[in-house]
Amino acid sequence: MSNLELLKKELVETVRAANDIPALEEVRVTALGKKGKVTSLMQTLGCLSPEQRKEMGQALNKLKDEITAEIEAKSLLLKKAALDERLEKEKIDVTLSPRPSPKGTIHPISKTVEELVAIFADMGFSVAEGPDIEDDFHNFTALNFPEGHPARQMHDTFYLPEAAGKTRLLRTHTSTVQVHVMQMQKPPIRVIIPGRTYRSDYDMTHTPMFHQLEGLVIDKTTHMGHLKGCLIEFCRRFFEVDELPTRFRPSFFPFTEPSAEMDIGCSRAGGELKIGEGKDWLEILGCGMVHPNVLKNCGIDPDEYQGFAFGMGLERIAMLKYGIPDLRTFFESDVRWLKHYGFGPMEGA
Ligand code: DAH
């Protein structure tokens, strides 16, 4: 075997033996670097006769190309092996179950809406929604509020700049959506309407934005007995007390006749509120039979149809059920409060 063949054999073996990229680079420098074995041989070509130089020059160039090709092939192999190793190490098992302790919580208002929707869905109600920005007709006129009613006053209602000659305001109650539903849907109607409402008020028990849930049932023979049965069943399920005492007191709302307020039994003994026990009463919601004028204003014939409606404050019932003492904390976005009063995604599901 010639010297060049021996050198080739030796270099190919060292290339093949290199087991990572830095080792391979070292081999490349030893063979082809400035002071490398092949480079040094090339530098001796000047001392040879022209014929020998030509022959030796070709042989050395061939050797250089062969070793370069060997190094490139080995380099590809090593890079692929390194990538495979990384992929194996960084493998993620996408079939693993979700994180056992999620960081976020469900806000008590969202939780309350979920619960109300579940309870009323079981009674055949569907959910309706309407806009937060309303006109005078949907918020007041259609609901039988007379001109000059105190609720229409500037200091209770957030009025917005007029648009196209029309008054615009932030709805003061979700009863506005009763009007939209009756205008769009033919009876029988059975809807609940959870949503945001706005009033110009701020203290321990009032915030400028709060939530309500409105209910509306319209059919040919719906009467006060249906109203009572539906709301008693709702309160018992929501507060999870089977024998929850309830009472209906006469009241007044422009959009219902007769109107009532519903109370549930509770005890305040020792300053601690207990729902479902004792001799005290707690107001929960407003309700009544839809006023014939409201039906007429919404295009429904009051001689053929009648029904009931109810409305309640969601913060209020959430505070009672979950023992939350201050209304304003609902909207402060304090993560410690949310952690304490919030709910995990699977809780009570
Ligand atoms: N809209 C009333 C309020 O904001 C709540 C209410 C009371 C709604 C009686 C009703 C109802 O539908 O029948 O205070």
Side-chain angles (χ1 to χ4, degrees):
M1 205 183 261
S2 74
N3 284 347
L4 274 193
E5 277 168 348
L6 278 175
L7 178 62
K8 180 180 161 188
K9 191 164 174 275
E10 178 202 321
L11 289 176
V12 167
E13 270 166 19
T14 49
V15 168
R16 292 190 181 161
N19 50 15
D20 57 23
I21 295 283
L24 185 65
E25 177 59 12
E26 228 171 85
V27 175
R28 192 190 64 77
V29 173
T30 323
L32 308 174
K34 261 195 197 153
K35 292 182 183 151
K37 291 185 177 165
V38 178
T39 321
S40 314
L41 282 175
M42 282 183 156
Q43 281 158 2
T44 64
L45 287 176
C47 318
L48 300 177
S49 70
E51 276 96 79
Q52 278 175 324
R53 190 185 308 151
K54 192 175 164 204
E55 198 183 318
M56 189 64 172
Q58 279 175 354
L60 281 173
N61 271 335
K62 191 165 161 254
L63 174 64
K64 190 180 157 196
D65 290 347
E66 282 167 350
I67 298 302
T68 306
E70 276 291 328
I71 291 175
E72 260 166 32
K74 181 72 187 185
S75 163
L76 279 180
L77 271 182
L78 288 173
K79 279 184 188 151
K80 186 176 176 309
L83 181 64
D84 286 348
E85 193 186 313
R86 215 178 117 197
L87 287 175
E88 182 60 30
K89 229 192 283 170
E90 294 174 10
K91 198 154 83 177
I92 295 168
D93 184 352
V94 291
T95 64
L96 280 178
S97 52
R99 273 183 299 169
S101 54
K103 293 273 184 292
T105 56
I106 293 173
H107 193 283
I109 288 297
S110 307
K111 176 73 174 171
T112 303
V113 171
E114 269 175 29
E115 289 175 358
L116 294 175
V117 168
I119 295 171
F120 283 107
D122 282 352
M123 298 193 222
F125 284 77
S126 51
V127 176
E129 284 183 329
D132 288 20
I133 297 177
E134 274 294 1
D135 53 26
D136 191 77
F137 177 77
H138 288 87
N139 200 81
F140 296 123
T141 311
L143 291 165
N144 203 33
F145 280 81
E147 281 302 326
H149 188 282
R152 287 181 181 251
Q153 282 170 19
M154 291 300 260
H155 61 256
D156 284 326
T157 305
F158 288 115
Y159 283 94
L160 302 170
E162 274 189 13
K166 251 186 158 187
T167 307
R168 289 186 312 160
L169 50 88
L170 293 178
R171 65 179 179 197
T172 59
H173 51 181
T174 40
S175 307
T176 52
V177 189
Q178 279 192 28
V179 181
H180 288 289
V181 170
M182 286 192 272
Q183 284 176 325
M184 284 180 320
Q185 231 172 284
K186 275 199 146 80
I189 292 170
R190 199 178 283 197
V191 289
I192 51 164
I193 303 134
R196 290 196 172 117
T197 46
Y198 307 85
R199 284 181 209 173
S200 185
D201 225 342
Y202 187 69
D203 59 36
M204 269 284 280
T205 51
H206 299 88
T207 48
M209 190 280 291
F210 57 104
H211 296 79
Q212 284 191 338
L213 181 121
E214 184 82 13
L216 177 70
V217 175
I218 306 284
D219 210 336
K220 288 191 172 156
T221 56
T222 307
H223 53 69
M224 196 83 184
H226 295 127
L227 173 156
K228 290 176 76 177
C230 169
L231 294 176
I232 291 170
E233 167 68 10
F234 152 68
C235 284
R236 292 189 171 166
R237 275 196 61 186
F238 181 74
F239 291 105
E240 295 166 353
V241 180
D242 287 343
E243 298 302 318
L244 182 68
T246 55
R247 74 174 183 190
F248 289 82
R249 277 180 294 106
S251 184
F252 176 80
F253 301 104
F255 35 88
T256 43
E257 179 57 38
S259 302
E261 270 166 339
M262 183 183 182
D263 296 340
I264 58 172
C266 68
S267 137
R268 292 190 180 87
E272 196 196 342
L273 180 71
K274 283 212 186 91
I275 289 171
E277 303 175 7
K279 297 220 157 14
D280 295 324
W281 293 101
L282 191 63
E283 185 193 321
I284 284 294
L285 53 81
C287 56
M289 299 304 293
V290 179
H291 197 294
N293 288 350
V294 175
L295 294 173
K296 237 182 283 166
N297 292 339
C298 302
I300 291 179
D301 181 358
D303 292 328
E304 199 181 347
Y305 289 103
Q306 56 191 34
F308 66 85
F310 53 92
M312 66 189 95
L314 296 188
E315 285 77 9
R316 181 173 165 75
I317 63 167
M319 283 164 83
L320 293 172
K321 180 163 177 177
Y322 299 116
I324 303 171
D326 187 339
L327 172 67
R328 290 172 293 196
T329 55
F330 277 79
F331 310 114
E332 282 170 357
S333 302
D334 184 330
V335 284
R336 291 160 304 177
W337 185 89
L338 287 167
K339 211 165 170 194
H340 183 79
Y341 288 111
F343 296 86
M346 304 298 174
E347 254 171 88

PDB file of all heavy atoms in Angstrom, residues 172-173 175 178 199 212 214-215 253 255-256 286-288 309-312, ligand 1:
ATOM      1  N   THR A 172     -80.758  50.487  32.953  1.00  0.00           N
ATOM      2  CA  THR A 172     -80.772  50.511  34.420  1.00  0.00           C
ATOM      3  C   THR A 172     -81.286  49.188  34.980  1.00  0.00           C
ATOM      4  O   THR A 172     -81.253  48.968  36.187  1.00  0.00           O
ATOM      5  CB  THR A 172     -81.663  51.655  34.943  1.00  0.00           C
ATOM      6  OG1 THR A 172     -82.985  51.457  34.439  1.00  0.00           O
ATOM      7  CG2 THR A 172     -81.144  53.007  34.492  1.00  0.00           C
ATOM      8  N   HIS A 173     -81.823  48.349  34.113  1.00  0.00           N
ATOM      9  CA  HIS A 173     -82.270  47.012  34.514  1.00  0.00           C
ATOM     10  C   HIS A 173     -82.320  46.092  33.302  1.00  0.00           C
ATOM     11  O   HIS A 173     -82.315  46.575  32.165  1.00  0.00           O
ATOM     12  CB  HIS A 173     -83.632  47.051  35.233  1.00  0.00           C
ATOM     13  CG  HIS A 173     -84.707  47.819  34.498  1.00  0.00           C
ATOM     14  ND1 HIS A 173     -85.960  47.992  34.978  1.00  0.00           N
ATOM     15  CD2 HIS A 173     -84.691  48.457  33.299  1.00  0.00           C
ATOM     16  CE1 HIS A 173     -86.681  48.701  34.124  1.00  0.00           C
ATOM     17  NE2 HIS A 173     -85.933  49.006  33.116  1.00  0.00           N
ATOM     18  N   SER A 175     -84.785  44.375  32.516  1.00  0.00           N
ATOM     19  CA  SER A 175     -86.168  44.303  32.018  1.00  0.00           C
ATOM     20  C   SER A 175     -86.265  44.781  30.570  1.00  0.00           C
ATOM     21  O   SER A 175     -87.202  44.413  29.857  1.00  0.00           O
ATOM     22  CB  SER A 175     -87.090  45.153  32.901  1.00  0.00           C
ATOM     23  OG  SER A 175     -86.955  44.796  34.249  1.00  0.00           O
ATOM     24  N   GLN A 178     -86.830  42.045  28.137  1.00  0.00           N
ATOM     25  CA  GLN A 178     -88.224  41.571  28.008  1.00  0.00           C
ATOM     26  C   GLN A 178     -88.833  42.158  26.748  1.00  0.00           C
ATOM     27  O   GLN A 178     -89.491  41.473  25.980  1.00  0.00           O
ATOM     28  CB  GLN A 178     -89.080  42.148  29.149  1.00  0.00           C
ATOM     29  CG  GLN A 178     -89.035  41.486  30.458  1.00  0.00           C
ATOM     30  CD  GLN A 178     -90.176  42.041  31.337  1.00  0.00           C
ATOM     31  OE1 GLN A 178     -91.212  42.480  30.854  1.00  0.00           O
ATOM     32  NE2 GLN A 178     -89.958  42.002  32.640  1.00  0.00           N
ATOM     33  N   ARG A 199     -76.332  51.993  37.223  1.00  0.00           N
ATOM     34  CA  ARG A 199     -77.030  53.110  37.876  1.00  0.00           C
ATOM     35  C   ARG A 199     -76.017  54.027  38.535  1.00  0.00           C
ATOM     36  O   ARG A 199     -74.978  53.561  39.018  1.00  0.00           O
ATOM     37  CB  ARG A 199     -78.018  52.605  38.932  1.00  0.00           C
ATOM     38  CG  ARG A 199     -79.279  52.040  38.304  1.00  0.00           C
ATOM     39  CD  ARG A 199     -80.276  51.557  39.321  1.00  0.00           C
ATOM     40  NE  ARG A 199     -81.061  50.467  38.740  1.00  0.00           N
ATOM     41  CZ  ARG A 199     -81.924  49.738  39.402  1.00  0.00           C
ATOM     42  NH1 ARG A 199     -82.139  49.950  40.680  1.00  0.00           N
ATOM     43  NH2 ARG A 199     -82.584  48.769  38.796  1.00  0.00           N
ATOM     44  N   GLN A 212     -77.936  41.779  36.929  1.00  0.00           N
ATOM     45  CA  GLN A 212     -79.288  41.316  37.272  1.00  0.00           C
ATOM     46  C   GLN A 212     -79.619  40.065  36.463  1.00  0.00           C
ATOM     47  O   GLN A 212     -78.978  39.777  35.444  1.00  0.00           O
ATOM     48  CB  GLN A 212     -80.327  42.388  36.888  1.00  0.00           C
ATOM     49  CG  GLN A 212     -80.382  43.572  37.820  1.00  0.00           C
ATOM     50  CD  GLN A 212     -81.586  44.450  37.533  1.00  0.00           C
ATOM     51  OE1 GLN A 212     -82.148  44.434  36.439  1.00  0.00           O
ATOM     52  NE2 GLN A 212     -81.986  45.230  38.517  1.00  0.00           N
ATOM     53  N   GLU A 214     -83.214  38.641  34.847  1.00  0.00           N
ATOM     54  CA  GLU A 214     -84.623  38.916  34.594  1.00  0.00           C
ATOM     55  C   GLU A 214     -85.258  37.615  34.117  1.00  0.00           C
ATOM     56  O   GLU A 214     -84.597  36.804  33.469  1.00  0.00           O
ATOM     57  CB  GLU A 214     -84.664  39.957  33.466  1.00  0.00           C
ATOM     58  CG  GLU A 214     -86.010  40.454  33.106  1.00  0.00           C
ATOM     59  CD  GLU A 214     -86.444  41.556  34.061  1.00  0.00           C
ATOM     60  OE1 GLU A 214     -85.609  42.078  34.820  1.00  0.00           O
ATOM     61  OE2 GLU A 214     -87.639  41.869  34.051  1.00  0.00           O
ATOM     62  N   GLY A 215     -86.525  37.413  34.446  1.00  0.00           N
ATOM     63  CA  GLY A 215     -87.227  36.244  33.913  1.00  0.00           C
ATOM     64  C   GLY A 215     -88.535  36.689  33.294  1.00  0.00           C
ATOM     65  O   GLY A 215     -89.146  37.669  33.754  1.00  0.00           O
ATOM     66  N   PHE A 253     -94.265  47.895  40.870  1.00  0.00           N
ATOM     67  CA  PHE A 253     -93.369  48.176  39.738  1.00  0.00           C
ATOM     68  C   PHE A 253     -94.276  48.625  38.602  1.00  0.00           C
ATOM     69  O   PHE A 253     -95.366  48.066  38.438  1.00  0.00           O
ATOM     70  CB  PHE A 253     -92.602  46.912  39.305  1.00  0.00           C
ATOM     71  CG  PHE A 253     -91.760  46.315  40.397  1.00  0.00           C
ATOM     72  CD1 PHE A 253     -92.183  45.162  41.070  1.00  0.00           C
ATOM     73  CD2 PHE A 253     -90.557  46.896  40.776  1.00  0.00           C
ATOM     74  CE1 PHE A 253     -91.419  44.612  42.093  1.00  0.00           C
ATOM     75  CE2 PHE A 253     -89.790  46.342  41.796  1.00  0.00           C
ATOM     76  CZ  PHE A 253     -90.221  45.212  42.462  1.00  0.00           C
ATOM     77  N   PHE A 255     -94.184  48.000  35.561  1.00  0.00           N
ATOM     78  CA  PHE A 255     -94.363  47.034  34.474  1.00  0.00           C
ATOM     79  C   PHE A 255     -95.083  45.760  34.887  1.00  0.00           C
ATOM     80  O   PHE A 255     -95.237  44.843  34.084  1.00  0.00           O
ATOM     81  CB  PHE A 255     -92.996  46.692  33.842  1.00  0.00           C
ATOM     82  CG  PHE A 255     -91.863  46.672  34.840  1.00  0.00           C
ATOM     83  CD1 PHE A 255     -91.551  45.512  35.538  1.00  0.00           C
ATOM     84  CD2 PHE A 255     -91.139  47.827  35.111  1.00  0.00           C
ATOM     85  CE1 PHE A 255     -90.529  45.496  36.453  1.00  0.00           C
ATOM     86  CE2 PHE A 255     -90.110  47.831  36.043  1.00  0.00           C
ATOM     87  CZ  PHE A 255     -89.793  46.666  36.725  1.00  0.00           C
ATOM     88  N   THR A 256     -95.490  45.655  36.156  1.00  0.00           N
ATOM     89  CA  THR A 256     -96.253  44.466  36.578  1.00  0.00           C
ATOM     90  C   THR A 256     -97.487  44.891  37.388  1.00  0.00           C
ATOM     91  O   THR A 256     -97.478  45.906  38.074  1.00  0.00           O
ATOM     92  CB  THR A 256     -95.385  43.533  37.447  1.00  0.00           C
ATOM     93  OG1 THR A 256     -94.639  44.317  38.381  1.00  0.00           O
ATOM     94  CG2 THR A 256     -94.436  42.694  36.619  1.00  0.00           C
ATOM     95  N   GLY A 286     -87.897  40.945  42.967  1.00  0.00           N
ATOM     96  CA  GLY A 286     -89.161  41.585  42.616  1.00  0.00           C
ATOM     97  C   GLY A 286     -89.831  40.788  41.520  1.00  0.00           C
ATOM     98  O   GLY A 286     -89.160  40.163  40.699  1.00  0.00           O
ATOM     99  N   CYS A 287     -91.164  40.799  41.523  1.00  0.00           N
ATOM    100  CA  CYS A 287     -91.872  40.003  40.517  1.00  0.00           C
ATOM    101  C   CYS A 287     -93.302  40.509  40.341  1.00  0.00           C
ATOM    102  O   CYS A 287     -93.747  41.399  41.066  1.00  0.00           O
ATOM    103  CB  CYS A 287     -91.889  38.532  40.934  1.00  0.00           C
ATOM    104  SG  CYS A 287     -92.613  38.267  42.573  1.00  0.00           S
ATOM    105  N   GLY A 288     -94.012  39.925  39.398  1.00  0.00           N
ATOM    106  CA  GLY A 288     -95.414  40.294  39.220  1.00  0.00           C
ATOM    107  C   GLY A 288     -95.941  39.779  37.899  1.00  0.00           C
ATOM    108  O   GLY A 288     -95.217  39.174  37.110  1.00  0.00           O
ATOM    109  N   ALA A 309     -93.246  38.075  35.339  1.00  0.00           N
ATOM    110  CA  ALA A 309     -91.847  38.468  35.179  1.00  0.00           C
ATOM    111  C   ALA A 309     -91.223  38.581  36.559  1.00  0.00           C
ATOM    112  O   ALA A 309     -91.937  38.722  37.563  1.00  0.00           O
ATOM    113  CB  ALA A 309     -91.755  39.803  34.450  1.00  0.00           C
ATOM    114  N   PHE A 310     -89.908  38.485  36.599  1.00  0.00           N
ATOM    115  CA  PHE A 310     -89.211  38.682  37.874  1.00  0.00           C
ATOM    116  C   PHE A 310     -87.810  39.220  37.598  1.00  0.00           C
ATOM    117  O   PHE A 310     -87.288  39.078  36.481  1.00  0.00           O
ATOM    118  CB  PHE A 310     -89.130  37.380  38.693  1.00  0.00           C
ATOM    119  CG  PHE A 310     -88.549  36.208  37.944  1.00  0.00           C
ATOM    120  CD1 PHE A 310     -87.181  35.940  37.994  1.00  0.00           C
ATOM    121  CD2 PHE A 310     -89.361  35.377  37.189  1.00  0.00           C
ATOM    122  CE1 PHE A 310     -86.642  34.855  37.309  1.00  0.00           C
ATOM    123  CE2 PHE A 310     -88.822  34.293  36.490  1.00  0.00           C
ATOM    124  CZ  PHE A 310     -87.466  34.025  36.551  1.00  0.00           C
ATOM    125  N   GLY A 311     -87.252  39.850  38.620  1.00  0.00           N
ATOM    126  CA  GLY A 311     -85.902  40.381  38.450  1.00  0.00           C
ATOM    127  C   GLY A 311     -85.162  40.349  39.776  1.00  0.00           C
ATOM    128  O   GLY A 311     -85.757  40.580  40.831  1.00  0.00           O
ATOM    129  N   MET A 312     -83.864  40.018  39.702  1.00  0.00           N
ATOM    130  CA  MET A 312     -83.086  39.966  40.958  1.00  0.00           C
ATOM    131  C   MET A 312     -81.659  40.452  40.718  1.00  0.00           C
ATOM    132  O   MET A 312     -81.142  40.384  39.590  1.00  0.00           O
ATOM    133  CB  MET A 312     -83.077  38.551  41.529  1.00  0.00           C
ATOM    134  CG  MET A 312     -82.351  37.552  40.669  1.00  0.00           C
ATOM    135  SD  MET A 312     -82.604  35.863  41.253  1.00  0.00           S
ATOM    136  CE  MET A 312     -83.975  35.339  40.235  1.00  0.00           C
TER     137      MET A 312
HETATM  138  N1  DAH B   1     -86.446  45.800  37.054  1.00  0.00           N
HETATM  139  C1  DAH B   1     -86.557  45.726  38.497  1.00  0.00           C
HETATM  140  C2  DAH B   1     -85.372  46.446  39.147  1.00  0.00           C
HETATM  141  O1  DAH B   1     -84.446  46.746  38.469  1.00  0.00           O
HETATM  142  C3  DAH B   1     -86.565  44.299  38.961  1.00  0.00           C
HETATM  143  C4  DAH B   1     -87.840  43.636  38.599  1.00  0.00           C
HETATM  144  C5  DAH B   1     -88.907  43.645  39.458  1.00  0.00           C
HETATM  145  C6  DAH B   1     -87.975  42.985  37.383  1.00  0.00           C
HETATM  146  C7  DAH B   1     -90.090  43.063  39.150  1.00  0.00           C
HETATM  147  C8  DAH B   1     -89.170  42.362  37.047  1.00  0.00           C
HETATM  148  C9  DAH B   1     -90.230  42.412  37.941  1.00  0.00           C
HETATM  149  O2  DAH B   1     -89.362  41.733  35.905  1.00  0.00           O
HETATM  150  O3  DAH B   1     -91.405  41.809  37.627  1.00  0.00           O
HETATM  151  O4  DAH B   1     -85.399  46.689  40.302  1.00  0.00           O
END
